[in-house]
Amino acid sequence: MIEFKDVSKTYRVAKRKSGMGNAVKSFFSREYNTVHALQDVSFTVRDGECVGYIGPNGAGKSTTIKIMCGVLTPDGGECRIDGRIPYKERVAHVRDIGVVFGQRSQLWWDVPVIDSFDLIRDIYRVEEGVYRKNVKELTELLDLEEILQTPVRTLSLGQRMRCEIAASLLHDPKVLFLDEPTIGLDAVSKLAVRKFIRELNARKGTTIVLTTHDMQDIEALTERILFIGRGRILLDGKLSDVKKRISERKTMVITYQGEPPVLREEMKLVESGKGRMTVSFEPSELAVPGAISYFAAHTQLLDVLVSDITTEEMVAQMYKEYKL
């Protein structure tokens, strides 16, 4: 279990004006800005949960992850993971966690992937039998067979990210921290990574904390979200419940033949094209079956797709609501 209780973290950031003269002055007299990265942040993540941790740039997400990994020490409050304080019991703590940073690598650049895996095995002191079993399993699940003997520097971004995820799981961690794991990946690689993460969570019960700006990752992998802004947790709840709170409005896409139908007053036109129309409406004013019946009666209806507010729209609304 991950327990965050009233955690705060502040940075002092040096500032100076441009120019050589100001650069010289800064050696003798330096001014600082105080940045409150985290302010009394509290939350709990149960064992086996997969939680989305979202918010704008500079909100405090990476600082939170670094504290949970034991890299940073908070100024106040307490963080416990499986009963341990990460920044006080780092050696014991890191044996039970895995970390993937989308823009940083834990693999050695100029050696084959399998050599990096061997080095990680020695660092974590993984038993040989467990290591071989995990390499075989991860190679099959992430389709790494053809690239294990390839130097990391020659891999594509998608190939490298799959290897990064495998490397973070060689020692069977109980908790996995994923920071932008699909950044820059093509559609095929994203789907493969998402599928693997879902299977890992379901099969091994690995606790997963996912930070990302890709809302499709959040939609595909998590049921619960933590929304952070200006160093504070602004919202904590199920993704479906948050969507309903932000807006219960339905979006309907219809495909039809012939003339476009005249909309009812409860409907709002979102988009219109040849033989295709997108409308939105409030279920309290017009029920979905009623909307479908109306279009079926007033046009030659070919197809209907009904959806709730998208995760991207939900996050955009939250940014406006909290003025982020």
Side-chain angles (χ1 to χ4, degrees), residues 136-179:
K136 183 175 183 295
E137 185 178 89
L138 291 167
T139 298
E140 292 174 356
L141 291 172
L142 289 167
D143 192 21
L144 305 179
E145 182 66 39
E146 295 182 1
I147 59 177
L148 285 180
Q149 307 300 328
T150 306
V152 174
R153 57 183 167 78
T154 65
L155 299 178
S156 70
L157 181 57
Q159 290 172 326
R160 183 174 67 80
M161 285 310 303
R162 281 184 281 139
C163 292
E164 294 281 356
I165 292 172
S168 70
L169 296 169
L170 290 172
H171 57 294
D172 281 331
K174 298 176 183 177
V175 183
L176 180 62
F177 300 112
L178 301 173
D179 190 0

Side-chain angles (χ1 to χ4, degrees), residues 226-238:
L226 293 165
F227 183 64
I228 187 171
R230 298 195 188 95
R232 296 182 183 275
I233 297 294
L234 303 174
L235 193 149
D236 178 0
K238 285 188 175 182

